Amino acid sequence: MSIDTLQKRYEAAGQSHLFKFWNELSPAEQDELKTQLEALNIERVNRIYAKAVASEAEAIHPSAQAVAIEPIPKGASESVTDAAKAAAWRQTGLAAIARGEVGVLLMAGGQGTRLGSSAPKGCYDIGLPSHKSLFQYQAERIARLQTVAETENAKPAGSVVIPWYVMTSGPTRRDTEDFFKQNSYFGLNPKNVILFEQGTLPCLTMEGKVLLETRSRVAVAPDGNGGLYAATRSPLTPGKPDTVLSDLAKRGILYVHAYCVDNCLVRVADPVFLGYSIEKQADCAAKVVPKSHPAESVGVVALRGNKYSVVEYSEISKERAEARDAETNELKFRAGNIANHFYTTTYLNRVESFEEELAFHIARKKIAHVDLETGAGVKPSKPNGMKLEMFVFDVFPYTERFAVLEVERNEEFSPLKNAPGTGSDDPETSRRDLLAQHKRFLEAAGAKVNEGVEIEISPLVSYAGEGLKAVKGKVFTKSGLVEGVEELDALA
């Protein structure tokens, strides 16, 4: 595209200020800016901004406040505490895995900034005896689950594959790729680990004008974990047609499990959740955990105007948050959202048809930029602009058949959000929760673990407590790391 044509396009969109320093730029800088502006769909950016602002205003309008927010209806969700049902769902899920119908989408775009690390969060070591990273734990769970599905469905060794689609952000892409390569993909076949990148959107002023980070570069930010959907349609390699969606189709994947990287207890491609969702014929489903107390700062899966949504805790009054079911005495609004979802690939393909209806959320931030008058860099001390994000659960209201599965928090949810020593959702709590689970695995198999003894069981040994029959009657007196069942003998 000629520079004149490009300038006219941006002028028509009300964003001509992006060329303010054009004549002062070197040829290399002009090329950098031109390439970025050509790739940017500026008309879409304007539409997203207008819809986000309108949606935000609508949300505080009295008519929106009047929209009924109700708890999940009785019978619309089930719990893994029903052991017989959970066992049946597990068989259904394992059979789908064994048939090669299941893939996994990992949202791994975040950096460990709050943890004091500039590396991708998935590279983080929570201080286990093994010093395995979150990425390694999840990879080994996939490897173990492939073996379990083969064994329980009489499939040849090495025949079952669960492809792993890892979504990075621009800043974490290179480091994530390098980490996987350096660690030989943690034993998985590199052909079945597909890295792809979430999109970005320009940072805007409060009036919707695109900010320049430097005189030759637009300021951009990742488009939120809801950018997952658009990212599955973007080319895996620039200039080539293959996408995540086309790769899923090529492999014959019918069902997808999606989750966030920072949960050390995540059951990747959980056969129980898969089986439950398949039996419910859901096109989209969510795992939830019971809220720990009425005032817990967590969004809940609920009905907003008769449509499934995630309702933020701030949107529910204290009185309603504390309301309890007369029969069970459980909180009515109890379904804590943990960003752990099931989709059919049919549904993932359908998202594009209603994506324009989704409103992005506005996050007002301090955004470094160039002063258009002086060309000098500015580091603001208070929010001066906005980043636009979509949330992964924004698609829930468009689901035709939605299902909710309640799981136990201590078995499946321990997020890593905060700096070491914070006391909640930090590396120490992640470590504690994972090792406590491994102790429960051993005790459920009939062993006794002495007070103060910490035993880490590799995911390659047990995915969810299975495969430990040999420990029955044993008393464990020593702490240690177990990479093979036979190594448990040394700790008894």
Side-chain angles (χ1 to χ4, degrees), residues 50-93:
K51 188 162 182 67
V53 169
S55 176
E56 191 179 63
E58 208 176 279
I60 57 172
H61 192 273
S63 63
Q65 302 295 309
V67 172
I69 293 175
E70 299 293 339
I72 299 167
K74 284 192 176 178
S77 73
E78 295 199 51
S79 170
V80 295
T81 52
D82 187 325
K85 282 187 174 179
W89 296 330
R90 179 179 177 276
Q91 282 190 322
T92 300

Side-chain angles (χ1 to χ4, degrees), residues 175-359:
D175 287 346
T176 304
E177 280 182 348
D178 290 347
F179 193 68
F180 273 82
K181 283 175 186 165
Q182 286 157 13
N183 289 280
S184 304
Y185 293 81
F186 311 106
L188 296 176
N189 185 333
K191 287 181 185 170
N192 301 322
V193 181
I194 300 97
L195 271 65
F196 67 111
E197 204 171 304
Q198 75 184 97
T200 59
L201 281 169
C203 301
L204 307 175
T205 66
M206 302 302 186
E207 298 71 41
K209 299 295 183 186
V210 175
L211 286 163
L212 282 169
E213 183 183 356
T214 69
R215 298 189 308 166
S216 62
R217 187 167 63 247
V218 168
V220 298
D223 54 6
N225 57 17
L228 170 75
Y229 305 108
T232 61
R233 301 193 301 269
S234 299
L236 291 168
T237 309
K240 294 194 176 174
D242 288 341
T243 64
V244 168
L245 289 179
S246 71
D247 195 77
L248 288 165
K250 207 180 289 179
R251 292 171 183 264
I253 303 292
L254 302 180
Y255 313 110
V256 171
H257 176 225
Y259 69 96
C260 284
V261 74
D262 62 4
N263 176 13
C264 69
L265 294 180
V266 66
R267 294 193 174 176
V268 186
D270 176 19
V272 176
F273 184 37
L274 290 164
Y276 167 74
S277 304
I278 291 166
E279 288 190 12
K280 289 285 182 187
Q281 295 186 304
D283 43 14
C284 179
K287 257 189 195 186
V288 298
V289 297
K291 281 182 73 170
S292 58
H293 55 91
E296 186 183 5
S297 304
V298 61
V300 293
V301 178
L303 293 181
R304 189 199 299 272
N306 277 330
K307 291 186 175 178
Y308 283 95
S309 303
V310 170
V311 178
E312 294 303 332
Y313 61 93
S314 56
E315 298 178 80
I316 299 172
S317 68
K318 181 175 182 289
E319 184 186 25
R320 300 194 85 198
E322 291 174 352
R324 293 183 180 271
D325 185 280
E327 289 174 32
T328 63
N329 200 37
E330 292 169 340
L331 292 172
K332 285 187 174 180
F333 289 94
R334 62 186 262 117
N337 172 50
I338 60 172
N340 194 312
H341 305 144
F342 163 94
Y343 309 93
T344 62
T345 44
T346 303
Y347 184 71
L348 284 177
N349 278 283
R350 194 162 70 78
V351 171
E352 188 176 12
S353 68
F354 58 77
E355 208 167 37
E356 284 284 322
E357 297 173 46
L358 300 174

Side-chain angles (χ1 to χ4, degrees), residues 31 37 57 99 104 147 221 223-224 235 239 295 300 306 322 336 357 379 382 395 405 481:
D31 192 48
L37 296 181
R99 290 191 299 269
V104 171
T147 303
D223 54 6
V300 293
N306 277 330
E322 291 174 352
E357 297 173 46
K379 283 199 170 179
K382 59 182 183 180
V395 302
L405 182 66
L481 164 66

Side-chain angles (χ1 to χ4, degrees), residues 344-467:
T344 62
T345 44
T346 303
Y347 184 71
L348 284 177
N349 278 283
R350 194 162 70 78
V351 171
E352 188 176 12
S353 68
F354 58 77
E355 208 167 37
E356 284 284 322
E357 297 173 46
L358 300 174
F360 280 72
H361 307 268
I362 297 171
R364 290 174 175 81
K365 301 281 187 181
K366 292 182 278 192
I367 302 165
H369 64 286
V370 163
D371 185 298
L372 289 175
E373 298 306 314
T374 65
V378 178
K379 283 199 170 179
S381 56
K382 59 182 183 180
N384 64 305
M386 58 175 72
K387 295 178 180 182
L388 296 165
E389 299 176 321
M390 189 178 285
F391 300 148
V392 70
F393 52 74
D394 285 339
V395 302
F396 287 3
Y398 296 85
T399 310
E400 288 169 14
R401 291 179 306 282
F402 194 78
V404 177
L405 182 66
E406 186 177 279
V407 298
E408 296 172 283
R409 185 186 291 245
N410 68 338
E411 295 294 352
E412 300 209 33
F413 186 56
S414 180
L416 178 61
K417 304 281 185 196
N418 301 319
T422 308
S424 71
D425 298 345
D426 65 11
E428 291 85 2
T429 59
S430 292
R431 179 188 191 278
R432 177 201 71 200
D433 292 346
L434 195 55
L435 292 175
Q437 182 183 63
H438 293 180
K439 181 181 179 182
R440 289 194 298 274
F441 286 173
L442 292 168
E443 289 173 341
K448 182 177 185 299
V449 182
N450 281 357
E451 196 64 38
V453 169
E454 291 183 334
I455 297 174
E456 180 187 352
I457 301 168
S458 166
L460 295 170
V461 173
S462 184
Y463 173 87
E466 81 295 329

